[in-house]
């Protein structure tokens, strides 16, 4: 049986906006401009005759830059929701795969732009280590799920604090946010160029 060789990359984009607080600037005759962004991502890839398929659901994840508590214009990152990584075994996979999940499954984060900066400083730092996925039992449909919660993500992503005292600074920072994305890669440690054994 051909071994699974799959790498899925999904992109998250950090946006600026007010969730719990607002970025307030005094200007009596102008409505403040804002932008919204959403990353374009690939659908899952699969090979015929493999152990199964990875998937990832980021629809419940939100990354927002908001004013730091007790400040008016200092940036802070608010993370809510979670990332759900799934593994769906092939109907013809080994019984061990169907009952225990795919061994050696990992995830790691990276940045789409290694020069993602505002005023010469990195927008954020991110943990780029490879992390093991420990699958629990399969659900009633035979699907394994591993969840990365907002609390856990806070340990992986650190936003650099900037003071945006003017609307012009807000706009400049907002424009820079669209220059990069946080990428999550899910792998079994093999890739399409890895020879089958």
């Amino acid at each position: 049986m051909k071994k699974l060789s799959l790498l899925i990359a999904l992109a998250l984009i950090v946006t600026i906006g007010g969730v719990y607080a607002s970025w307030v600037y005094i200007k009596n005759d102008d409505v403040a401009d804002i932008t919204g962004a959403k990353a374009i991502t690939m659908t899952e890839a699969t090979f015929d005759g493999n152990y199964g398929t990875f998937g990832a659901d980021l629809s419940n994840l939100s990354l927002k830059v908001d004013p730091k508590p007790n400040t008016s214009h200092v940036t802070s990152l608010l993370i809510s929701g979670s990332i759900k990584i799934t593994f769906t075994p092939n109907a013809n996979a080994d019984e061990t795969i169907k009952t225990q999940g795919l061994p050696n499954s990992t995830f790691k984060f990276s940045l789409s732009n290694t020069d993602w900066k505002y005023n010469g400083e990195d927008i954020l730092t991110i943990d780029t280590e490879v992390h093991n996925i420990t699958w629990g039992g399969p659900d009633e449909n035979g699907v394994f799920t591993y969840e990365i919660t907002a609390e856990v993500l806070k340990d992986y992503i650190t936003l650099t604090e900037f003071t945006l005292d003017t609307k012009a600074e807000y706009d400049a920072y907002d424009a820079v946010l669209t220059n990069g994305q946080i990428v999550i890669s899910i792998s079994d440690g093999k890739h399409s160029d890895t020879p089958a054994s």
Side-chain angles (χ1 to χ4, degrees), residues 12-21 57-69 75-84 109 123-127 147-160 182:
L12 312 173
I13 191 160
V14 179
T15 59
I16 189 168
V19 178
Y20 299 107
D57 181 2
L58 289 81
S59 62
N60 189 36
L61 181 68
S62 174
L63 302 172
K64 292 279 187 184
V65 178
D66 211 47
K68 186 177 179 179
T75 59
S76 69
L77 183 62
L78 297 178
I79 304 175
S80 62
S82 65
I83 299 172
K84 289 185 179 176
F109 293 103
I123 289 285
L124 54 81
T125 55
I126 193 163
D127 176 347
E147 185 172 20
I148 307 171
T149 64
E151 282 303 312
V152 172
L153 281 171
K154 289 173 185 175
D155 293 333
Y156 296 144
I157 305 168
T158 304
L159 189 77
T160 304
I182 299 168

Side-chain angles (χ1 to χ4, degrees), residues 111 113-124 160 162 172-173 175-177 179-180:
L111 295 177
N113 178 359
T114 56
D115 194 38
W116 196 12
K117 297 182 184 296
Y118 172 74
N119 279 354
E121 291 187 63
D122 290 334
I123 289 285
L124 54 81
T160 304
F162 294 99
Y173 183 85
V176 169
L177 283 183
N179 294 337

Side-chain angles (χ1 to χ4, degrees), residues 8-14 38-42 56 58 61 63 83 110 112 180-185:
I8 299 174
L10 299 170
L12 312 173
I13 191 160
V14 179
K38 184 69 176 177
I40 298 174
T41 62
M42 300 288 288
L58 289 81
L61 181 68
L63 302 172
I83 299 172
S110 61
S112 65
Q181 297 176 14
I182 299 168
V183 178
I184 182 169
S185 302

Side-chain angles (χ1 to χ4, degrees), residues 3-4 11 37 63 88 91 115 120 168-169 186:
K3 290 188 178 179
L4 176 64
L63 302 172
T88 305
D115 194 38
E169 290 172 331
I186 304 159

Side-chain angles (χ1 to χ4, degrees), residues 16-28 30-34 65-68 71-75 163-171:
I16 189 168
V19 178
Y20 299 107
S22 297
W23 295 92
V24 179
Y25 297 99
I26 305 302
K27 180 78 173 178
N28 59 10
D30 186 18
V31 175
D33 299 336
I34 63 167
V65 178
D66 211 47
K68 186 177 179 179
T71 76
S72 296
H73 302 138
V74 178
T75 59
T163 301
L164 310 176
D165 269 338
T166 67
K167 182 59 166 57
E169 290 172 331
Y170 172 101
D171 289 342

Side-chain angles (χ1 to χ4, degrees), residues 138-143:
D139 66 13
E140 63 277 4
N141 298 313
V143 178

